[in-house]
């Protein structure tokens, strides 16, 4: 176990000393800053510590991430989610990566909020394909009041199928967060996207604090948090460290941390962005695992351009969740059969739904209603 101490040297015994191998042990020096061992649950990380993790030799970093992963999760199980766009296009935001922004000519048309029955049918197909969580995404700045009742009914329908539910609908008020909780929503996704320092280069129509406020409303309502970011938008390694630092220093770690590789879409400002080095992406997965040991780290957007070998290294580095089948909102995703073949080659298996979820899914709606704070 590598302890984060300054100064620090760990002796790794390669094999017993012998005349042929007079120096049978290597010394690895990792000048990190805390006395807490890697894998501890912490919310007081410093940027210098996170940057030091990124700077570790690749093999050491992946080894430590795998060790921490095995200490906190079933080692060969991967949580599988399916994501459906329930309302597509015409988003007023200017996120530089997003083909759904009304500001860019990307060929993505406007599609109204789906019918409840169609969403249920998609969720049924996802369950039959092996997904355990169904995520519903809508291109809003924030959801309209007239749509909230419809979305709440979608959540109830999906949950009745025995699937965990997740939604990503943009910014939420505290009241909207409680409304979703009352409908039976399990997870809410709201990514930070990048570091606070680089954020203004990617988005100008909402602030970083807006995002943090939504995360606070979601947590206060008793929902589980899904929050991560995107790698490959032109950010520096320090920006990646700062993003993960922000996530790890939240009062509670997100239960799910999606790490996305930028999917470059013609017509968006980031269409010509330089490709990210695969090893840099894998380092980001590994550091996320070390900073947030109990979270599910999701290998998210961008998998369609990753080789099986790269995905295998991501799983070795601590990724234990994927989006499975269908389209990933408006960009592609590996099909179910390719994922099944990859799982078989690697000896991986889909993670089962937690027992406490199965029990709560059977409870009548009134038994899962969120308790709101008193009105002020």
């Amino acid at each position: 176990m590598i302890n984060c101490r300054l100064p620090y040297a760990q002796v790794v015994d390669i094999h017993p000393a012998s005349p042929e191998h007079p120096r049978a042990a290597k010394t690895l020096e990792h000048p990190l800053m805390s006395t807490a061992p890697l894998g501890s649950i912490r919310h007081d990380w410093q940027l210098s510590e996170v940057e030091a993790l990124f700077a570790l030799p690749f093999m050491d970093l992946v080894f430590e991430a795998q060790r921490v992963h095995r200490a906190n999760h079933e080692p060969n199980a991967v949580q599988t989610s399916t994501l459906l766009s329930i309302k597509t296009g015409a988003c007023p935001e200017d996120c530089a990566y997003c083909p759904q922004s009304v500001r860019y000519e990307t060929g993505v048309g406007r599609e109204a909020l789906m019918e409840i029955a169609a969403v249920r049918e998609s969720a049924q197909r996802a369950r039959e394909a092996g997904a355990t969580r169904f995520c519903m995404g809508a291109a809003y700045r924030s959801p309209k009041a007239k749509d909230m009742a419809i979305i709440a009914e979608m959540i109830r329908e999906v949950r009745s199928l025995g699937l965990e539910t997740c939604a990503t609908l943009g910014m939420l008020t505290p009241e909207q967060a409680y409304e979703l909780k009352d409908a039976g929503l399990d997870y809410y996704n709201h990514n930070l996207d990048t570091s606070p320092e680089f954020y203004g280069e990617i988005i100008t129509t909402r602030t970083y604090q807006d995002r943090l406020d939504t995360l606070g409303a979601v947590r206060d309502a008793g929902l589980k948090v899904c929050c991560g970011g995107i790698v490959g938008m032109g950010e520096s390694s320090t920006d990646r460290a700062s993003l993960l630092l922000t996530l790890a220093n939240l009062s509670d770690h997100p239960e799910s941390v999606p790490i996305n590789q930028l999917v470059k879409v013609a017509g968006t400002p980031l269409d010509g962005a330089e490709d990210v080095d695969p090893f840099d992406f894998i380092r980001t997965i590994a550091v996320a695992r070390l900073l947030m040991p109990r979270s599910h780290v999701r290998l998210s957007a961008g998998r369609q351009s990753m080789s099986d070998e790269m995905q295998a290294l991501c799983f070795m580095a601590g990724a234990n969740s994927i989006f499975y089948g269908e389209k990933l909102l408006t960009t592609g995703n590996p099909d179910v059969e390719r994922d099944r073949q990859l799982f078989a080659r690697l000896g991986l298996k889909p993670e089962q739904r937690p027992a406490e979820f199965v029990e709560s899914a059977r409870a009548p709606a009134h038994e899962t209603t969120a308790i709101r704070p008193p009105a002020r």
Side-chain angles (χ1 to χ4, degrees):
M1 178 185 299
I2 292 180
N3 288 339
C4 301
R5 294 190 177 95
L6 179 65
Y8 174 75
Q10 181 187 21
V11 175
V12 179
D13 191 6
I14 304 301
H15 51 69
S18 69
E20 294 80 15
H21 302 279
R23 181 59 173 159
K26 284 189 176 181
T27 297
L28 304 178
E29 295 187 359
H30 300 295
L32 307 183
M33 298 184 67
S34 171
T35 58
L38 287 177
S40 300
I41 301 299
R42 293 178 52 192
H43 304 274
D44 61 350
W45 289 92
Q46 300 298 311
L47 183 60
S48 58
E49 294 177 274
V50 182
E51 288 188 295
L53 291 175
F54 270 95
L56 285 172
F58 181 80
M59 298 302 181
D60 294 350
L61 175 60
V62 172
F63 173 82
E64 287 300 317
Q66 176 64 197
R67 180 188 61 75
V68 169
H69 173 68
R70 285 174 174 268
N72 291 276
H73 302 274
E74 188 176 352
N76 294 308
V78 177
Q79 190 277 323
T80 53
S81 299
T82 294
L83 176 60
L84 175 70
S85 180
I86 61 171
K87 183 263 180 193
T88 303
C91 181
E93 305 278 20
D94 68 351
C95 307
Y97 54 81
C98 186
Q100 300 202 64
S101 172
V102 73
R103 300 162 187 258
Y104 313 132
E105 294 295 330
T106 63
V108 174
R110 302 183 181 204
E111 297 179 12
L113 190 64
M114 289 178 65
E115 297 291 332
I116 294 170
V119 172
R120 181 186 171 90
E121 289 172 8
S122 293
Q124 180 72 43
R125 289 195 301 271
R127 189 184 72 169
E128 291 169 357
T132 60
R133 187 178 307 160
F134 191 75
C135 305
M136 293 160 276
Y140 293 117
R141 173 177 170 83
S142 55
K144 298 177 174 59
K146 65 182 179 65
D147 292 339
M148 283 293 290
I150 300 172
I151 294 169
E153 186 56 33
M154 289 177 183
I155 293 166
R156 284 188 280 268
E157 287 290 323
V158 171
R159 211 167 193 275
S160 72
L161 297 173
L163 289 164
E164 291 182 303
T165 55
C166 178
T168 179
L169 312 170
M171 294 185 292
L172 294 181
T173 65
E175 293 74 20
Q176 288 174 322
Y178 277 102
E179 189 174 349
L180 294 173
K181 175 66 175 177
D182 285 349
L185 189 68
D186 298 295
Y187 289 81
Y188 193 80
N189 167 260
H190 199 63
N191 290 334
L192 293 179
D193 288 348
T194 189
S195 68
E197 298 79 13
F198 190 65
Y199 183 82
E201 300 296 318
I202 304 300
I203 304 151
T204 66
T205 49
R206 75 174 79 168
T207 68
Y208 211 76
Q209 189 59 51
D210 288 335
R211 292 179 182 267
L212 292 171
D213 289 346
T214 289
L215 293 177
V218 166
R219 186 63 81 186
D220 288 346
L223 292 164
K224 295 177 182 177
V225 171
C226 175
C227 184
I230 305 171
V231 177
M233 299 190 293
E235 75 284 348
S236 67
S237 60
T238 297
D239 288 314
R240 293 169 196 157
S242 180
L243 165 65
L244 296 182
L245 173 82
T246 303
L247 292 169
N249 284 350
L250 292 171
S251 58
D252 294 287
H253 292 163
E255 283 80 5
S256 182
V257 180
I259 304 296
N260 301 272
Q261 181 175 271
L262 175 68
V263 178
K264 291 178 277 189
V265 178
T268 63
L270 292 179
D271 179 30
E274 184 177 346
D275 289 344
V276 64
D277 185 320
F279 292 116
D280 288 340
F281 184 86
I282 296 162
R283 283 181 181 276
T284 307
I285 295 280
V287 175
R289 168 54 64 222
L290 291 174
L291 298 187
M292 294 165 279
R294 295 176 186 164
S295 301
H296 278 71
V297 176
R298 178 174 297 130
L299 182 55
S300 197
R303 281 203 306 126
Q304 75 275 14
S305 65
M306 296 180 189
S307 68
D308 288 352
E309 294 79 7
M310 180 178 173
Q311 292 188 63
L313 279 173
C314 288
F315 293 131
M316 176 68 79
N320 62 338
S321 177
I322 61 169
F323 278 120
Y324 184 73
E326 299 273 344
K327 286 198 307 181
L328 194 56
L329 291 181
T330 56
T331 59
N333 200 40
D335 61 26
V336 167
E337 187 54 37
R338 177 187 167 187
D339 285 333
R340 285 175 174 164
Q341 291 175 5
L342 179 60
F343 275 30
R345 291 170 68 195
L346 297 179
L348 299 176
K349 61 184 179 181
E351 182 181 276
Q352 299 302 305
R353 287 184 295 276
E356 59 269 24
F357 169 79
V358 175
E359 290 302 316
S360 67
R362 296 172 180 153
H366 68 85
E367 291 186 18
T368 59
T369 300
I371 301 174
R372 291 173 172 77
R376 295 180 180 176

